[in-house]
Amino acid sequence: MTMERTFEKGIEFAKAMDLKDELRDYRKEFFLQENEIYMDGNSLGMASKPAVESLEKMIERWKVEGVRAWNDLYRYSEKIADLMAPLICASAKEVTVTGSTTANIHQALATFYHPTAKKYKILIDDLNFPTDRYAVESIVQLKGYSAAEGVKVVPSTDGQFIDEEAMIEAMTEDVAVILLPAVLYRSAQLLDMKRLTEEAHKRGILIGFDLCHGIGAVEIDFSVIQPDFAVWCTYKYLNGGFGSTAGLYINQKHFQQTPGLAGWFGNRNDTQFQLKQQFEHQPDASGWQIGSPALFSMATLEGSLQVFKAVGIATIREVSLAKTAYLMYLIDERLTAYGYSYTNKQEDSLRGGHVCVVHREAYRIAAALRDHHVVPDFREPNVIRLAPIALYTSYEDIHKVVDTLEEIVREKIYLNYSNERSAVV
Ligand SMILES: *Cc1c(COP(=O)(O)O)cnc(C)c1O
């Protein structure tokens, strides 16, 4: 499904849209830098005033209260989970804020992957962010299988999209668990999580999703989808800052399962500080925590999630769809003549929050963009990801980015840059 939208090419149209943008007042909550357009919010979201304030408050509590603050802060993860759960329509008890995405994949698979002689494979795709695959391979190896035996990979036929039909066909009897992304980090494909979950469950297979590129940008309704588990990071669209603490969803039907990786922060709340030798896990998602919560890496989220609470994810999604559609429109109208294209599908229901721009000279163009005060994100071999963020990217910004993309190729500016890869781009 796609909403009908009409756009015009001129800058006046962009300015008029900004005046009508219902989220325009939120821009001033973010530390937008003068003379710079930040288009990499899908990789590391911008700092906001509420996020910085809540971090400062936490630092203050450390200074003033020291260990005494711990009395009410040791359960801080639950406070953040309360703010996070509405973003995926889960109950707060099904969400815990802990670890990193990758660590949480390990935790979830350690919990849910119990291979038997007949059912021992983990099913994945070959387009997901590679850390997911590394984690899956190491987990099957821990159970004594080789990666080739234990991991079933459904290859993409075009290198851009996951074919859901092929994925469903691959849900054979030997598959125990499935791990898939919600939104692909490159092509921005949004998967039909509901259908995939239904098909998995019909076959007695557990399924989990990696929401890293979806949460905070797209609407996700786990009360309907009912996956078994999910993981996500909080520094992309949720603007938690460098390595902010990640999320883990455990469907409430699994609360009685023993966490695969146990630790004292997963112990029952009422007996945790009795420090017994016998581990008894808290029967909700917080029971999947392992060690002490990283409060400084979570405090930013208390502030940043207030913005999501105030606006609601439905509005954020609607604005994000309009802004990404506008960028796609301008690329179609103005940039195809300069060798640019994008891989996003046209349908709203099939695309996430960023636009995956493709150009033969993408690497050098991305380097030139940085010198022209646009912060992009490059992905090998030929992709520039641009994320018009609902909360802080204006239509005028998008228009300027397109001007710059055009100029860099038209004036052959990219030729001044080397194709030699540097470590972080
Ligand atoms: C960003 C991202 C990650 C990052 O993992 P961390 O453990 O948070 O570093 C993992 N998976 C996907 C799909 C991502 O987009």
Side-chain angles (χ1 to χ4, degrees):
M1 275 224 335
T2 303
M3 228 176 104
E4 276 300 316
R5 301 186 183 90
T6 41
F7 299 119
E8 292 170 22
K9 278 191 277 184
I11 184 73
E12 293 314 317
F13 174 82
K15 289 182 177 171
M17 288 298 279
D18 282 329
L19 286 177
K20 282 191 285 187
D21 183 355
E22 59 186 302
L23 298 182
R24 68 180 184 280
D25 288 342
Y26 285 96
R27 260 169 83 77
K28 63 179 186 322
E29 296 292 306
F30 289 86
F31 291 95
L32 298 165
Q33 300 298 296
E34 217 171 303
N35 199 21
E36 181 179 280
I37 303 178
Y38 193 81
M39 297 299 286
D40 203 8
N42 64 307
S43 199
L44 185 84
M46 288 199 86
S48 67
K49 290 175 192 168
V52 170
E53 275 162 24
S54 56
L55 176 58
E56 284 170 352
K57 236 192 262 170
M58 188 63 83
I59 292 171
E60 206 50 37
R61 293 199 65 179
W62 179 33
K63 282 192 213 162
V64 176
E65 299 171 58
V67 72
R68 284 167 296 162
W70 198 239
N71 281 328
D72 71 284
L73 288 178
Y74 81 101
R75 302 269 291 276
Y76 190 65
S77 162
E78 288 167 38
K79 183 165 185 175
I80 306 301
D82 264 354
L83 289 165
M84 199 107 76
L87 294 173
I88 54 172
C89 301
S91 94
K93 291 224 169 293
E94 291 175 307
V95 174
T96 188
V97 181
T98 188
S100 68
T101 312
T102 314
N104 292 347
I105 293 172
H106 280 283
Q107 172 65 298
L109 292 176
T111 304
F112 294 116
Y113 176 58
H114 300 291
T116 63
K118 283 193 181 146
K119 219 169 175 57
Y120 60 94
K121 293 192 178 183
I122 302 182
L123 180 65
I124 59 169
D125 65 287
D126 69 347
L127 296 178
N128 199 353
F129 192 78
T131 196
D132 295 44
R133 181 161 179 176
Y134 304 160
V136 166
E137 289 183 352
S138 75
I139 283 277
V140 302
Q141 284 162 355
L142 275 173
K143 297 280 186 185
Y145 300 94
S146 70
E149 287 166 332
V151 184
K152 182 170 184 181
V153 185
V154 176
S156 162
T157 48
D158 58 10
Q160 285 173 348
F161 298 102
I162 293 174
D163 178 350
E164 290 177 359
E165 298 302 327
M167 192 56 70
I168 291 165
E169 248 169 64
M171 294 179 187
T172 45
E173 281 196 340
D174 50 2
V175 174
V177 183
I178 303 171
L179 176 66
L180 292 173
V183 173
L184 274 172
Y185 79 104
R186 283 167 58 97
S187 67
Q189 178 188 4
L190 171 57
L191 273 73
D192 186 343
M193 289 186 276
K194 180 166 181 286
R195 174 167 180 232
L196 291 162
T197 302
E198 274 168 13
E199 295 293 339
H201 286 169
K202 260 190 228 166
R203 295 162 175 79
I205 303 171
L206 299 174
I207 187 165
F209 292 97
D210 181 331
L211 311 180
C212 279
H213 267 81
I215 193 161
V218 306
E219 287 177 274
I220 295 169
D221 190 345
F222 276 180
S223 73
V224 173
I225 299 169
Q226 293 287 334
D228 296 285
F229 65 91
V231 297
W232 59 92
C233 62
T234 56
Y235 47 78
K236 290 171 181 163
Y237 291 97
L238 298 182
N239 310 318
F242 306 117
S244 54
T245 303
L248 173 64
Y249 162 93
I250 303 284
N251 190 303
Q252 57 192 348
K253 71 182 177 199
H254 297 304
F255 283 174
Q256 296 309 324
Q257 289 233 24
T258 306
L261 306 177
W264 76 303
F265 261 81
N267 199 83
R268 268 174 46 188
N269 295 333
D270 55 350
T271 58
Q272 180 184 352
F273 282 87
Q274 293 173 10
L275 302 175
K276 295 180 178 164
Q277 288 296 316
Q278 193 75 38
F279 175 66
E280 272 186 279
H281 87 279
Q282 170 69 15
D284 59 41
S286 74
W288 272 258
Q289 294 176 90
I290 299 174
S292 301
L295 298 188
F296 293 138
S297 298
M298 279 184 207
T300 48
L301 292 167
E302 186 178 351
S304 113
L305 291 171
Q306 295 296 342
V307 177
F308 287 83
K309 188 175 176 182
V311 177
I313 188 68
T315 302
I316 288 176
R317 171 64 166 161
E318 194 186 310
V319 173
S320 159
L321 280 170
K323 287 178 179 174
T324 45
Y326 176 61
L327 175 55
M328 286 153 66
Y329 160 84
L330 288 179
I331 295 170
D332 285 338
E333 291 291 313
R334 292 181 46 195
L335 296 183
T336 47
Y338 295 100
Y340 290 99
S341 60
Y342 55 81
T343 63
N344 296 54
K345 304 260 191 192
Q346 294 296 329
E347 296 93 325
D348 289 351
S349 56
L350 297 177
R351 59 192 184 89
H354 67 275
V355 177
C356 174
V357 178
V358 174
H359 194 287
R360 195 166 40 88
E361 288 290 349
Y363 185 81
R364 296 203 280 183
I365 293 169
L369 277 172
R370 282 177 215 112
D371 282 347
H372 286 71
H373 315 292
V374 175
V375 181
D377 172 288
F378 171 78
R379 285 291 174 262
E380 293 287 358
N382 59 356
V383 166
I384 297 171
R385 295 185 306 177
L386 298 172
I389 303 296
L391 290 166
Y392 55 80
T393 309
S394 68
Y395 284 86
E396 196 174 342
D397 287 343
I398 297 167
H399 196 272
K400 279 189 196 153
V401 169
V402 170
D403 282 348
T404 311
L405 287 167
E406 180 185 316
E407 186 193 349
I408 288 169
V409 173
R410 192 188 60 228
E411 303 302 326
K412 299 195 165 45
I413 295 167
Y414 68 91
L415 292 176
N416 301 329
Y417 293 83
S418 159
N419 242 329
E420 288 290 319
R421 292 347 193 201
S422 66
V424 181
V425 284

